[in-house]
Amino acid sequence: MYLKIHLATRTYRAHLVSKPMATGGEGAIYPLTLPEYGDCALKLYRTRDKAREKRAKIMYMIANPPTSPHPNIRFCWPVAAATEESSGEFCGFVMLRAFPTSRDLTILEFYSPRKTIAELFPDDEDRGWHNRFELNTNVGIRNRLKMLYNWVAAIEAVHNTGRFVLVDIKPENILVTSDGKISLIDMDSCQVAEKGALLFPCNALTPGYFPPDAKNCRHANRPIDSSCDSFAIGCCIYAILTGTHPYNNTRLLPPYNTGEYTTLGARVDAGLYHSGDKSRYVERIPSFDLHANADRLSPNLNMLFRYAFSGTKRPTMAQWRTVLKDEINRF
């Protein structure tokens, strides 16, 4: 298959012969190298109808990229459009690749009090994470905080454009290296809005990381506020510093002790955070109280958690970043 790759200054001809690196519901991802960017990834949509549906959004993103605040922060952002050579039709786009040796942050989200990271993730490719990020050491907590600081700085840079809200933030949607390099991925699923007008809605969201007020905006076809990302990153920060999602590992009291509230999404929608407005209906479990790990964090950081999970006046990324920096200095 022959393609044309359209950059702002020139067009390349590409012959697609390799097998895809990954496949998903929308299409497949192939390796591609461009002189201007080095190793990249080409996303080809599964059907022409899907490509036509996505074309305007991708072209907008190519024309309006965010600026990375640091060389160790990378946005896997669309940089070029791809068209079929034979028909000239838009069929996909080229995006930047994540830093080499990156992996997702489930390695820090998944936690067992009785096992080390080396025991949970023994593969050679994860060796760089061993003995550096344990929750029961100050060094481990400090390294986690540094990783989270970089992640928040990356999201802040996206928000500073005034155009984009990521929406689907979770530990699976970021790729990191063990020395702290951050790559934001799946960025073509973000929401695009200008001056209060919704241009392109988000393509994906994850219950448990998506607050009720954002759900209301989505149903009304209104732009989702950037505070949605504050809620989601708050959940990620909490999980990576405690070993549990803020709405998980608790016992619910009547009237919430029913099968209706077994999922994270249902608990988030009902506001069942253990230190929130409905704390009287939520009990921590003494025999397995991972939430006790939050007690060793500073009052300022715990205050941001309460703001993030109670109401809609959530911390900005700048506020998260400032408190995380202070927290790094504490450990």
Side-chain angles (χ1 to χ4, degrees), residues 105-278:
L105 265 185
T106 54
I107 196 169
L108 300 186
E109 176 198 30
F110 187 76
Y111 175 67
S112 172
R114 299 177 185 86
K115 290 188 177 181
T116 64
I117 291 174
E119 291 170 323
L120 292 169
F121 298 88
D123 295 345
D124 286 343
E125 61 192 31
D126 294 323
R127 190 175 298 277
W129 297 83
H130 298 173
N131 305 314
R132 297 181 60 191
F133 293 92
E134 299 301 335
L135 262 181
N136 61 351
T137 68
N138 283 354
V139 170
I141 297 172
R142 187 185 309 118
N143 286 336
R144 288 173 183 241
L145 286 164
K146 290 178 180 178
M147 195 81 70
L148 291 166
Y149 179 93
N150 290 344
W151 191 0
V152 168
I155 299 170
E156 184 181 12
V158 174
H159 286 180
N160 285 344
T161 65
R163 294 183 168 98
F164 306 107
V165 178
L166 296 178
V167 180
D168 196 24
I169 294 173
K170 55 185 176 181
E172 295 90 337
N173 273 0
I174 182 172
L175 294 179
V176 296
T177 64
S178 58
D179 59 354
K181 295 177 181 176
I182 298 289
S183 301
L184 296 189
I185 63 171
D186 290 342
M187 301 196 76
D188 56 307
S189 70
C190 72
Q191 173 194 272
V192 183
E194 276 189 10
K195 299 177 180 178
L198 180 63
L199 301 184
F200 305 101
C202 61
N203 297 355
L205 59 88
T206 301
Y209 295 87
F210 192 69
D213 53 289
K215 184 177 292 187
N216 294 337
C217 288
R218 193 165 188 261
H219 289 162
N221 204 32
R222 299 195 310 268
I224 294 170
D225 189 84
S226 61
S227 69
C228 169
D229 288 352
S230 182
F231 178 89
I233 195 64
C235 291
C236 298
I237 293 169
Y238 189 99
I240 288 169
L241 294 180
T242 67
T244 183
H245 188 285
Y247 290 79
N248 205 5
N249 287 306
T250 55
R251 182 183 296 112
L252 300 182
L253 304 179
Y256 298 101
N257 59 338
T258 68
E260 183 181 352
Y261 300 100
T262 56
T263 66
L264 283 177
R267 291 181 173 210
V268 167
D269 288 346
L272 296 172
Y273 171 54
H274 66 84
S275 293
D277 297 337
K278 294 184 178 179

Side-chain angles (χ1 to χ4, degrees), residues 242 244 249-250 274 284-295:
T242 67
T244 183
N249 287 306
T250 55
H274 66 84
R284 286 158 52 166
I285 303 171
S287 60
F288 192 69
D289 189 11
L290 295 180
H291 298 286
N293 288 328
D295 297 339

